[in-house]
């Protein structure tokens, strides 16, 4: 059978390192900081990058290589690099490609830590960011200047679950010769492949749905090989690489990504439909609800709606806190993508560093709650949400 005919699940399960002389079925852990050379010439050629081989685990490691190869196949990419966390991936990807005087155009709806990077740290190196409103995509080109180098976006967004037309962004990036970077964390490559729509680089926090069980931190960027090589050179010097153990865990986790996501999405849609009918809820946002403002775009570019549901409780900040205090089954945690359902109140936690105006600009009201729907029996999750909303 031609390898090109393999399905997503087969690639996720059967992409693995060559077996050692022990003929193991499960890939072993390569817990080594460095690797040895046959002789002086082998060592010279390896450091000169004339040979594609492992030198030092800060550069690469067999377990990390396997994890990256799997993500590349899932995303339709040809190269990648793995990081110690999702934010290490975001920072290293951008820092490797930007210089003083460069400009980023980004959707205003981004993860709080990414926003802090854009407004608190990049300006120290004279790298500026302009934000466009996700609900006004027709304005994007007006923010582009001669210094703009990167077009950045999340879709779906964190935490408001807005959707951006990736094809539109791809066309804009091509027209203006920009590097399109998409944070695909909420969708994963199982539900969405941004490279198909024109993205040059795709970033993931592997900590979330890729791991899926809240065990390890990790991040990965895949995409254009020339851009990845620049990211690799930057990262081998600055040291944000993923540990071999975490890479091993994440690679094994990818084997069940598809089957997990199917159930996550099934459960999340049922939770969203329940919340949409609840009298104490003002609004619900879930990509595959017909009431979602970008429902048609989600249908076009996503296989299913993901596991994140955002909803606004009537009563604002106090009602949001009261809701969390009444939760019994679900977990209160800043993480997402776990087997266990997690509820988070962004205004008082993950996005609390933003001003009220900054939060409102990205649809984070005082009563907004983000639910990362897990794999429990969905009626039990709904029952817990129902009693907490009462």
């Amino acid at each position: 059978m031609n390898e090109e005919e393999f399905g997503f699940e087969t690639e996720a399960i059967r992409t693995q390192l060559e077996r050692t002389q022990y003929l193991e079925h499960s890939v072993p852990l390569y817990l080594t900081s460095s690797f040895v050379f046959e002789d002086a010439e082998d060592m010279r050629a390896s450091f000169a990058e004339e040979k594609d081989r492992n030198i030092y685990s800060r550069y690469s490691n067999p377990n990390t290589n396997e994890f990256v190869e799997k993500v590349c196949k899932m995303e339709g990419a040809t190269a990648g690099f793995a990081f110690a966390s999702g934010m290490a991936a975001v920072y290293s990807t951008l820092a490797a490609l930007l210089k003083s005087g460069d400009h980023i155009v980004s959707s205003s709806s981004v993860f709080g830590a990414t926003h802090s990077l854009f407004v608190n740290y990049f300006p120290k190196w004279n790298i500026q960011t302009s934000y466009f409103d996700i609900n006004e995509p027709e304005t994007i080109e007006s923010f582009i200047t001669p210094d703009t180098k990167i077009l950045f976006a999340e879709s779906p967004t964190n935490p408001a679950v807005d959707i951006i037309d990736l094809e539109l962004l791809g066309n804009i990036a091509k027209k203006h010769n920009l590097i399109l970077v998409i944070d695909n964390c909420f969708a994963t490559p199982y539900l969405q492949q941004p490279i198909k729509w024109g993205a040059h680089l795709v970033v993931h926090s592997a900590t979330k749905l890729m791991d899926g069980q809240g065990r390890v931190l990790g991040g990965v960027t895949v995409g254009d090989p020339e851009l990845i090589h620049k990211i690799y050179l930057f990262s081998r010097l600055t040291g944000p690489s993923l540990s071999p153990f975490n890479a091993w865990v994440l690679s094994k986790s990818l084997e069940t990504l598809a089957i997990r996501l199917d159930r996550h999405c099934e459960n999340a849609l049922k939770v969203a439909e329940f919340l949409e009918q609840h009298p104490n809820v003002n609004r619900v946002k879930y990509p595959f609800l017909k009431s979602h403002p970008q429902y048609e775009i989600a249908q076009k570019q996503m296989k299913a709606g993901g596991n994140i549901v955002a909803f606004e409780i009537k009563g604002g900040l106090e009602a949001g806190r009261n809701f969390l205090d009444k939760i019994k089954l679900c977990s209160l945690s800043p993480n997402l993508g776990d087997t266990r359902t997690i509820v988070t109140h962004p205004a008082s936690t993950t996005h609390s560093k933003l001003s009220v105006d900054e939060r409102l600009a990205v649809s984070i009201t005082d009563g907004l709650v983000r639910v990362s729907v897990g794999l429990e029996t969905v009626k039990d999750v709904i029952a817990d949400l129902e009693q907490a909303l009462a």
Side-chain angles (χ1 to χ4, degrees):
M1 182 177 180
N2 192 315
E3 188 174 334
E4 293 180 359
E5 298 176 3
F6 288 162
F8 185 95
E9 292 87 344
T10 303
E11 293 281 23
I13 293 168
R14 290 293 177 176
T15 299
Q16 62 184 73
L17 297 171
E18 290 186 14
R19 292 189 176 98
T20 71
Q21 70 271 29
Y22 298 109
L23 300 179
E24 67 281 344
H25 193 220
S26 180
V27 172
L29 270 165
Y30 288 85
L31 296 181
T32 179
S33 58
S34 62
F35 301 84
V36 298
F37 304 93
E38 295 177 0
D39 51 36
E41 174 55 24
D42 180 33
M43 196 169 191
R44 182 208 64 78
S46 298
F47 273 87
E49 297 186 36
E50 295 171 9
K51 288 186 173 183
D52 183 15
R53 56 110 76 213
N54 296 300
I55 298 173
Y56 192 63
S57 284
R58 174 157 53 86
Y59 303 175
S60 66
N61 175 281
N63 295 124
T64 307
N65 296 343
E66 181 187 272
F67 168 62
V68 170
E69 184 182 357
K70 283 189 180 183
V71 178
C72 284
K73 288 188 175 183
M74 291 173 166
E75 287 284 8
T78 54
F81 192 83
F83 301 89
S85 70
M87 280 311 301
V90 172
Y91 169 73
S92 299
T93 296
L94 298 177
L97 302 175
L98 294 167
K99 65 181 186 305
S100 178
D102 282 343
H103 177 242
I104 304 167
V105 173
S106 170
S107 63
S108 55
S109 301
V110 292
F111 179 49
T114 303
H115 172 75
S116 294
L117 188 65
F118 287 167
V119 300
N120 296 327
Y121 292 95
F122 278 177
K124 292 165 60 175
W125 301 297
N126 192 31
I127 297 170
Q128 305 299 324
T129 301
S130 295
Y131 285 126
F132 65 86
D133 188 331
I134 195 171
N135 297 305
E136 299 177 357
E138 69 278 4
T139 67
I140 295 174
E141 290 185 272
S142 67
F143 293 97
I144 297 172
T145 74
D147 295 322
T148 305
K149 189 168 185 180
I150 285 177
L151 181 57
F152 182 91
E154 299 173 3
S155 186
T157 63
N158 186 1
V161 204
D162 287 312
I163 302 294
I164 301 175
D165 189 333
L166 298 179
E167 185 177 21
L168 172 67
L169 294 185
N171 290 336
I172 292 173
K174 184 177 181 180
K175 177 181 176 181
H176 294 277
N177 195 30
L178 304 178
I179 300 169
L180 177 57
V181 181
I182 298 296
D183 185 330
N184 200 30
C185 174
F186 272 22
T188 80
Y190 180 61
L191 302 181
Q192 175 176 274
Q193 296 88 34
I195 291 173
K196 290 181 179 178
W197 304 104
H200 300 95
L201 295 170
V202 179
V203 182
H204 289 276
S205 171
T207 310
K208 309 304 191 297
L209 285 160
M210 282 190 172
D211 174 31
Q213 296 177 62
R215 298 169 296 186
V216 299
L217 298 180
V220 62
T221 299
V222 300
D224 179 88
E226 291 186 11
L227 298 176
I228 291 294
H229 187 63
K230 293 179 181 179
I231 295 166
Y232 161 73
L233 293 176
F234 176 85
S235 300
R236 65 182 276 174
L237 290 175
T238 53
S241 54
L242 181 65
S243 74
F245 177 78
N246 286 10
W248 180 84
V249 171
L250 290 168
S251 186
K252 299 300 287 183
S253 298
L254 289 179
E255 295 182 9
T256 61
L257 180 66
I259 194 168
R260 287 188 285 107
L261 258 293
D262 284 340
R263 178 56 65 86
H264 275 300
C265 295
E266 179 186 330
N267 283 358
L269 181 58
K270 290 177 180 177
V271 167
E273 290 170 341
F274 157 74
L275 291 169
E276 197 168 38
Q277 303 302 317
H278 199 283
N280 291 336
V281 173
N282 278 331
R283 61 190 176 98
V284 180
K285 289 180 78 175
Y286 181 70
F288 270 43
L289 276 183
K290 291 184 179 180
S291 58
H292 192 288
Q294 293 100 25
Y295 172 76
E296 295 297 335
I297 298 173
Q299 289 282 310
K300 178 181 78 170
Q301 65 193 31
M302 296 179 70
K303 181 176 180 178
N307 82 312
I308 305 297
V309 179
F311 70 98
E312 184 182 55
I313 298 177
K314 292 179 180 179
L317 192 64
E318 192 56 38
R321 288 174 173 164
N322 182 59
F323 168 79
L324 293 189
D325 286 340
K326 292 170 69 176
I327 284 292
K328 296 178 180 178
L329 174 70
C330 303
S331 303
L332 307 185
S333 171
N335 196 25
L336 59 92
D338 201 308
T339 54
R340 292 154 288 199
T341 298
I342 295 170
V343 293
T344 307
H345 183 235
S348 64
T349 57
T350 58
H351 290 71
S352 60
K353 298 294 190 297
L354 275 63
S355 68
V356 173
D357 289 341
E358 286 175 327
R359 291 201 298 269
L360 291 176
V362 292
S363 304
I364 302 174
T365 62
D366 286 344
L368 185 74
V369 172
R370 184 188 73 191
V371 184
S372 171
V373 182
L375 301 180
E376 305 97 337
T377 305
V378 71
K379 69 178 181 61
D380 296 331
V381 175
I382 290 173
D384 193 31
L385 297 176
E386 186 171 27
Q387 65 82 24
L389 285 166

